[in-house]
Amino acid sequence: MTLQKAWHSADALLKPRKRAPRRRQKTHKEKCQGMTSSASSTQAERILSFWHKVEFFESTELKNIDDGQGAIHYRSTELVDTPDCLPWLNAQYVRRAGRRYRPEGSYWYKLYLGLFKRCDIFEIARDAYPDQSEAWVERSRDEGLTCSLTVKVKSNGVIDRESFEISTAPWMLGALEQGRLDTVTLEAFEAATEIFRARLNSILTVADNLKREHELPPWLTPFELVEMLKAMQGWTAFSPRSEAPALVVQLFETKRNATDSVASGEVLETWSALKALPHRLEAAGDGMHPALEADAAPEEAPTAINELAILNSFFIRDLERVLAQAKDRGLALGSPLACYLQGAGEKKPDLLLPEGKSLLMRNLAMERMPPGRWPGEDVHSMSLMQQFAINTIDEELAETGLYSVNGPPGTGKTTMLRDLVARNVVERAKVLAALASPEAAFGESLQTKINDQPQPIKTLIPELAGFEMVVASSNNAAVENVTRELPQSKALGAAYRELGYLKPVGQKLAARHEKNLMESCMSRR
């Protein structure tokens, strides 16, 4: 677990956060002085560039998509030869998902297109860098399938055009095979993806027009899916090394809507009208040609695909933004990112060895103990290493910086976080107590509009800023365990649950705002 202040945005990573001064000590920024030379800045840029490109290769193993166990696998030949092979076109195909799936049931569907084995990524990398083949051996054992694109189909058989998500990995593999790795940027990816998005819109629009011409339902058919797979091949320029399904359809039970209809398979011959789709697309061209306009009335025309969300990475855009700012302005002295990338941390002795004893004694001295602790059970005080970490964090992160606390599950890292929260609350209370009046806590007002009405918003004085904490993790459950437990009374020791200090004020505020005053759950992404 890494504890880091002022790291929630790229700007915060690049410049130190100012906060209220406390006791004078050598700050993390001062420890980093002299470490941001042009050479170290170049090294940081190389690391960021490498990290940025690696993120493009990130792949997610697809779970719960085994054939006949809640999902149906399709080869490309089946999509071409059997026009009604999809479960929303012929309900009898629902049985292929497994014994518990019945034709009379109601389902929505998640489609995975362009599947390939994750080990293909490392085989291609090994071929591109044969002199480093040993480095790929362990990674090449990565198992499971990943995919190029996902999209949802509603229970009525209509594609959800707002649900498209694409992976950057196959596009990056194509770039690697073509020797374009050094020129890869998010801008290049988005330019190629924009062409792909326009092609998807063309496929769906021309198919919709054909269905209206022949008075067919607006259900998604294999004809569109085959054209999507062709477009995907042109977008990625990547061909999988090993055999994998062209399409996987995953079924999810849902309540039947009055507008849902179950296909019986009787329209098998009728769907053959969609065989004209490739010729219509070729005649229309790839751009926003007039022939691609929907024939339906504006109120009946389906929405276009406006965005293709990135499926496999949440950090590519952030990394590119940080990299651009680092090249433009450099890394600020003492910022968490600079210290992380440039190795600015001061090496300390091993606390478990005799030479670490003096550091333990120093940081556990009474004068270094924080003035507050979490009001838990009194008999359960912090362990020696927990208290050492808390006291050390208080010093190391006096202004900004980075500090790491590592330990297996159940060793008290979350418990330690509570004491850090308590320490922040007490430090902020000390600033509040020194103010001459409640009004002194506020500075200038900002003007904004709420419901189109101008409203002033009071800002806090600088001395009251810098006590915020963001708890973030790749494991959403771990974050929720921390943030949701803090406001609950069960997080308090028995001796503190009946304390009424400021309780009436807290109850009134909670009733008015209907939200926790201590924590707020932010985005899962």
Side-chain angles (χ1 to χ4, degrees), residues 96-281:
R96 287 177 54 178
R99 298 178 62 181
R100 58 184 285 257
Y101 296 89
R102 313 298 299 172
E104 61 272 15
S106 181
Y107 308 93
W108 66 270
Y109 312 89
K110 186 169 185 179
L111 278 56
Y112 304 87
L113 287 83
L115 288 88
F116 59 96
K117 292 183 178 179
R118 297 175 70 210
C119 59
D120 285 359
I121 298 174
F122 308 105
E123 288 183 12
I124 292 172
R126 184 177 55 202
D127 292 346
Y129 300 98
D131 56 328
Q132 302 178 27
S133 59
E134 291 185 7
W136 303 105
V137 172
E138 183 177 350
R139 297 301 304 272
S140 65
R141 299 192 187 104
D142 279 14
E143 298 178 350
L145 293 172
T146 189
C147 70
S148 303
L149 180 147
T150 69
V151 67
K152 295 176 183 177
V153 172
K154 302 172 186 177
S155 57
N156 60 3
V158 176
I159 193 169
D160 181 356
R161 302 186 188 213
E162 296 181 353
S163 66
F164 277 92
E165 293 184 321
I166 55 173
S167 170
T168 60
W171 181 83
M172 193 66 166
L173 289 171
L176 180 59
E177 288 184 318
Q178 296 176 356
R180 296 185 288 108
L181 186 62
D182 291 338
T183 61
V184 164
T185 63
L186 183 62
E187 183 180 1
F189 170 77
E190 290 183 333
T193 301
E194 178 58 26
I195 297 173
F196 179 48
R197 183 192 67 83
R199 183 62 177 176
L200 292 177
N201 270 322
S202 299
I203 292 168
L204 295 178
T205 301
V206 172
D208 285 343
N209 291 343
L210 275 169
K211 291 169 192 174
R212 276 186 286 271
E213 287 176 21
H214 294 273
E215 298 183 346
L216 292 171
W219 304 335
L220 180 69
T221 73
F223 296 98
E224 295 103 291
L225 292 173
V226 168
E227 293 303 318
M228 287 183 191
L229 290 168
K230 291 178 186 177
M232 193 181 306
Q233 176 64 30
W235 168 61
T236 64
F238 157 68
S239 297
R241 297 286 181 93
S242 49
E243 280 198 23
L247 168 71
V248 169
V249 176
Q250 190 176 20
L251 282 69
F252 297 89
E253 293 186 59
T254 185
K255 293 181 180 179
R256 185 178 299 281
N257 297 320
T259 57
D260 291 351
S261 58
V262 179
S264 64
E266 297 174 357
V267 293
L268 176 59
E269 293 302 323
T270 309
W271 289 120
S272 62
L274 271 294
K275 289 181 180 179
L277 180 58
H279 305 293
R280 287 281 186 96
L281 285 169

Side-chain angles (χ1 to χ4, degrees), residues 488-505:
Q488 298 178 9
S489 59
K490 68 179 182 181
L492 304 176
Y496 304 102
R497 291 178 187 171
E498 300 303 322
L499 291 180
Y501 182 65
L502 294 181
K503 188 174 182 179
V505 176

Side-chain angles (χ1 to χ4, degrees), residues 277-337:
L277 180 58
H279 305 293
R280 287 281 186 96
L281 285 169
E282 185 177 354
D286 290 335
M288 294 306 294
H289 192 280
L292 300 184
E293 295 179 0
D295 293 339
E299 63 273 10
E300 298 176 0
T303 57
I305 304 168
N306 294 317
E307 181 183 10
L308 294 176
I310 294 178
L311 170 69
N312 59 310
S313 174
F314 305 138
F315 307 119
I316 289 176
R317 288 187 173 87
D318 292 335
L319 284 169
E320 190 141 319
R321 179 185 173 198
V322 171
L323 182 58
Q325 292 186 14
K327 289 179 177 179
D328 183 45
R329 302 199 299 266
L331 300 177
L333 290 172
S335 68
L337 186 61

Side-chain angles (χ1 to χ4, degrees), residues 411-443:
T411 52
K413 299 185 297 297
T414 302
T415 303
M416 185 198 70
L417 268 180
R418 292 177 180 175
D419 264 43
L420 288 174
V421 171
R423 175 249 167 231
N424 262 6
V425 171
V426 172
E427 289 292 337
R428 195 165 186 262
K430 288 164 62 176
V431 178
L432 286 168
L435 299 177
S437 66
E439 291 77 16
F442 300 101

